[in-house]
Amino acid sequence: MNTIILFIVLPIAGIILGWIIRWLYARFQLSASEQKAERVKQDAIREAEAQKKEILLNAKDELIRERNQQERENRERRAEVQRYEARVNKKEELLDQRAADYEKRDKEVADRVETLKKREASVMTQEEEYRKRLEHVSGLSQQQAKELIIKNLENDARHDAQALLNKIEQEAQLTAEKKARDVLVTIVQRLAPEVTSDITVTTVSLPSDEMKGRIIGREGRNIRTLETLTGVDIIIDDTPEAVVISCFDPVRKEIAKVALERLISDGRIHPARIEEIVQKVTHEVQNKIYEEGEKALFDLGIHNMPTEGVRALGRLYFRTSYGQNVLTHSKEVAMIAAALAAEIGGNRELAKRAALLHDIGKGAETESDQNHAEIGAEIARKMGEDPRVINAIAAHHNDIEPTSTEAVYVQIADAISAARPGARRETIDNYVKRLENLEQTAERFSGVEKAYAIQAGRELRILVDNAKVGDEEVKPLAQNIAKQIESDLRYPGRIRITMIRETRIVEYAR
C-alpha cells in the first residue's frame, strides 16, 4: 500500500518539482532578457545622444559657414555699391560739366547768330548798292542780266553734256562694256505680220464654203474651242474655200493646221472632237520635234545633248527666216564652222556644237524681250554647255565680244549661210526697195550728205557735212535717224547705223 502511495506521490512530486524548476528558469530568462533589453535601451539612448550632439555640432558649423559666406557676399555687395555710387557721382560731375559747356556754347552761338544777322543786313545793303552800280555801269537790268547768264549756262551745259556723253561712250567701248541693245532683233520675225506674213500665216483649203459654217459652229463655239486649245487666230473671210490660221508660234500654228485639216477630212466638228484631235496632234507634233532634233544631232555626229536641248533644236524645224528653215540653216552653219575650224585651226567639235546651237533661242517658248542670242545663251547655260559655246551663241550677232576663235567661226559661218545665193527668199524688187527706203530716210535729215545701205541692209553708213553738223551733234542725229527708221520702216533683225564726219582740206602748191 505504502509502495503504491509512494509510486503515486513520487511522480506527482517530480512533476511539481519540474514545474517549479521550469518556472524558476523562465523567471531567470525573463530577468536576463529584461536586463539585456535595458542595456540595449541604454546603449540606444547613449548613441542617440551622441548623434544628436554630432548633428548639433555639424549644424552649428554649417551655420557659421553660411554666416561667414553671407558676410563676405554682403561685404562684396557693399563694395560694388560703393564703386557704382562712385561712378554715378563721377558721371553726374561730367554731366554737370557738359551742361555748363553747352550753356556756354549756346550763349556763344546766340552771340554769333546775332553778329551774323548784323553782317547779313550789312551785306544785303552793300549788295543792293553794288547791284545798282552794276546796272548803271552795264546798262542791263537785273532780269536782263539773269536771262543772259541763264542762256550762257544752258549753252555751256548742253555742250558739256554732249561732251560727257561722248566720253562715256568712248570709255564704254574701250572697256568692252555692252552698248544698248536693240531689243527688236527678232521682234519682227515673231510679232510683225505685215513683214513675215509668209511665216506667221498659213492657209487651209476647204472642200466648199459650207465648211466655214461648220468650223464656226453654233454661236461660234467650234472656232472658239479650236482657238482656245491651240492658241492661234483663225480668220474666216471672203476668200473662197479657204481659212487663214495666224500665229507667231510656228509649233502652235502647225498643230492648229493639222488638227483643222483632220477635222475637215473627218467631217465631225464639235468641241469634244476638236479637243480629242488637238490632243492627238499635239502629241504627234511633240514627237516630231524630238525626232527632228535627234536627226539633226545624228547627221552632225553630236552626242551628249540633254533632252531639253534636243527639243529646242527640234522646234527650229518649224521656224523660218525669210523662207529659210532655221534648223536647216543651223545644220549648215555647223558644217561651215567645222570646216573653218579644220582648215584654219581650232576645236572642230566645239565649233560645230556652238554653231548648231547658235539660233536655239529662236525656238524658245518665252515672252521675254531679250533677243534670240541672249535667250539661246541662257538655254545653253542651263543645259551645262561649255562656256565657250555659251559665248559663241551670245556673240554671234556681236551683242557681246567673242572670247574664242570658235565664236568667230560661228559668226563667219552664220553670215555665209544667211547671205549665200538662194538661202533666203526675198524678191529683188522688195530687196532693192527696202535698201532705197533706208537711204532715203537718212538723206531727209539736214546735214546728211549721203547714205549707203550695205551688208544686205544690215548696216547704214551716213556721211554728214562737217560744216553743218558738229561733233556734239553727230550722236543726236544718229539717234533721230534710228527712231525715224523704226517708226517708218519694217525690217527683220536690226540695222546698224554708222555716222562718218570728217574734215578734208585740199590745197595746191604752184
Side-chain angles (χ1 to χ4, degrees):
M1 186 65 178
N2 290 329
T3 304
I4 295 172
I5 293 172
L6 183 62
F7 282 130
I8 294 172
V9 171
L10 286 176
I12 292 172
I15 292 171
I16 293 171
L17 181 60
W19 180 84
I20 292 171
I21 293 172
R22 183 174 180 182
W23 180 79
L24 291 174
Y25 180 75
R27 288 295 300 272
F28 177 77
Q29 289 290 334
L30 179 59
S31 177
S33 297
E34 289 177 352
Q35 292 176 359
K36 184 177 181 181
E38 184 65 25
R39 287 196 303 272
V40 171
K41 179 180 177 182
Q42 294 298 324
D43 293 340
I45 291 172
R46 286 193 297 272
E47 186 177 354
E49 291 291 337
Q51 291 179 353
K52 179 180 178 181
K53 291 179 181 180
E54 184 178 357
I55 291 172
L56 290 174
L57 290 174
N58 292 335
K60 289 180 180 180
D61 293 339
E62 185 67 23
L63 181 61
I64 293 172
R65 285 195 298 273
E66 290 291 335
R67 184 182 299 167
N68 294 335
Q69 180 67 23
Q70 190 66 31
E71 290 178 354
R72 284 196 299 273
E73 291 178 356
N74 290 336
R75 286 195 298 272
E76 292 175 355
R77 288 177 182 175
R78 283 195 296 270
E80 185 177 356
V81 169
Q82 290 173 357
R83 288 194 297 271
Y84 179 75
E85 289 177 351
R87 288 198 301 269
V88 170
N89 293 331
K90 186 176 181 180
K91 289 182 178 179
E92 288 180 352
E93 293 175 358
L94 291 174
L95 289 175
D96 293 338
Q97 184 179 356
R98 288 181 180 178
D101 293 341
Y102 288 147
E103 290 178 359
K104 183 178 179 181
R105 290 181 183 179
D106 288 341
K107 185 177 180 180
E108 292 177 354
V109 170
D111 295 339
R112 289 181 182 179
V113 169
E114 186 66 25
T115 303
L116 288 175
K117 286 182 179 179
K118 293 179 180 179
R119 289 183 180 179
E120 184 180 2
S122 176
V123 168
M124 291 180 64
T125 303
Q126 293 178 1
E127 182 182 356
E128 182 66 21
E129 184 180 351
Y130 291 152
R131 183 180 64 79
K132 292 179 180 179
R133 292 182 181 178
L134 285 173
E135 289 180 354
H136 178 72
V137 171
S138 63
L140 296 175
S141 65
Q142 182 180 0
Q143 184 64 29
Q144 291 174 339
K146 186 186 297 183
E147 292 176 355
L148 180 62
I149 293 173
I150 291 175
K151 184 176 180 180
N152 292 334
L153 288 175
E154 183 179 355
N155 293 332
D156 292 342
R158 184 181 292 108
H159 180 272
D160 293 341
Q162 189 60 47
L164 180 61
L165 180 62
N166 293 337
K167 180 181 178 181
I168 291 173
E169 287 195 354
Q170 291 174 1
E171 291 177 355
Q173 292 174 356
L174 292 176
T175 56
E177 292 290 337
K178 293 181 181 178
K179 296 179 70 176
R181 294 189 185 92
D182 184 359
V183 296
L184 302 177
V185 173
T186 58
I187 199 66
V188 176
Q189 179 178 348
R190 296 187 178 187
L191 301 177
E194 60 269 25
V195 175
T196 57
S197 59
D198 57 329
I199 297 174
T200 60
V201 176
T202 187
T203 302
V204 178
S205 300
L206 304 178
S208 65
D209 285 341
E210 296 178 356
M211 185 61 68
K212 293 182 179 180
R214 299 180 61 185
I215 293 174
I216 296 174
R218 182 180 301 174
E219 299 179 353
R221 61 178 185 175
N222 290 345
I223 192 171
R224 282 199 306 270
T225 302
L226 186 56
E227 287 180 339
T228 301
L229 292 175
T230 57
V232 302
D233 292 327
I234 299 177
I235 304 170
I236 299 180
D237 52 18
D238 296 334
T239 306
E241 299 181 355
V243 295
V244 176
I245 299 175
S246 176
C247 183
F248 300 104
D249 188 331
V251 176
R252 296 205 304 264
K253 178 168 65 69
E254 180 70 14
I255 292 173
K257 178 183 177 182
V258 176
L260 186 56
E261 289 175 347
R262 291 192 183 179
L263 288 168
I264 292 170
S265 62
D266 182 61
R268 294 176 293 169
I269 305 178
H270 53 83
R273 181 63 177 169
I274 292 172
E275 185 175 359
E276 178 184 352
I277 292 296
V278 169
Q279 289 179 354
K280 185 176 180 180
V281 172
T282 301
H283 182 69
E284 292 176 358
V285 171
Q286 293 298 331
N287 289 339
K288 178 69 173 177
I289 288 174
Y290 194 79
E291 290 173 2
E292 291 297 332
E294 281 191 326
K295 182 180 177 182
L297 293 171
F298 178 79
D299 292 342
L300 294 172
I302 296 177
H303 309 287
N304 300 324
M305 183 68 67
T307 302
E308 58 269 25
V310 178
R311 291 192 179 279
L313 278 174
R315 288 180 62 84
L316 299 181
Y317 176 77
F318 297 98
R319 170 76 65 177
T320 57
S321 177
Y322 281 107
Q324 184 182 29
N325 183 273
V326 178
L327 182 58
T328 302
H329 163 70
S330 299
K331 293 167 63 177
E332 187 175 89
V333 172
M335 289 186 287
I336 295 173
L340 288 172
E343 291 292 334
I344 302 175
N347 191 324
R348 183 172 179 273
E349 295 300 323
L350 186 68
K352 181 166 62 174
R353 191 181 188 94
L356 179 64
L357 298 176
H358 81 283
D359 272 345
I360 198 172
K362 288 186 176 181
E365 297 176 340
T366 178
E367 299 297 331
S368 172
D369 59 353
Q370 294 177 308
N371 62 39
H372 72 275
E374 295 171 325
I375 296 173
E378 183 63 25
I379 293 173
R381 188 177 293 108
K382 291 179 179 178
M383 293 191 303
E385 291 291 337
D386 190 289
R388 291 171 292 178
V389 173
I390 298 172
N391 174 259
I393 296 172
H396 79 274
H397 279 317
N398 287 315
D399 291 317
I400 63 174
E401 291 295 326
T403 58
S404 63
T405 56
E406 289 76 15
V408 178
Y409 296 154
V410 173
Q411 289 181 338
I412 297 172
D414 182 41
I416 293 172
S417 175
R420 66 174 177 78
R424 293 184 170 181
R425 183 172 68 246
E426 184 178 20
T427 63
I428 186 64
D429 293 338
N430 292 336
Y431 175 77
V432 174
K433 185 66 175 177
R434 181 161 61 87
L435 299 188
E436 289 178 351
N437 289 339
L438 279 174
E439 294 175 352
Q440 292 172 3
T441 300
E443 290 173 355
R444 285 199 294 267
F445 284 80
S446 175
V448 175
E449 287 186 345
K450 191 64 179 174
Y452 299 97
I454 61 176
Q455 294 187 8
R458 293 182 178 178
E459 182 177 354
L460 185 62
R461 290 189 180 176
I462 301 173
L463 302 178
V464 299
D465 188 349
N466 64 338
K468 296 180 179 179
V469 181
D471 287 338
E472 299 85 1
E473 299 172 345
V474 173
K475 180 63 176 179
L477 179 60
Q479 293 174 344
N480 293 333
I481 294 174
K483 292 179 180 178
Q484 191 68 35
I485 292 174
E486 291 173 359
S487 61
D488 292 351
L489 304 180
R490 295 293 180 266
Y491 50 90
R494 65 179 179 181
I495 298 173
R496 180 179 180 180
I497 298 176
T498 303
M499 306 292 291
I500 300 175
R501 179 183 181 274
E502 60 181 0
T503 301
R504 294 186 182 182
I505 300 175
V506 180
E507 189 60 55
Y508 298 95
R510 296 182 178 86

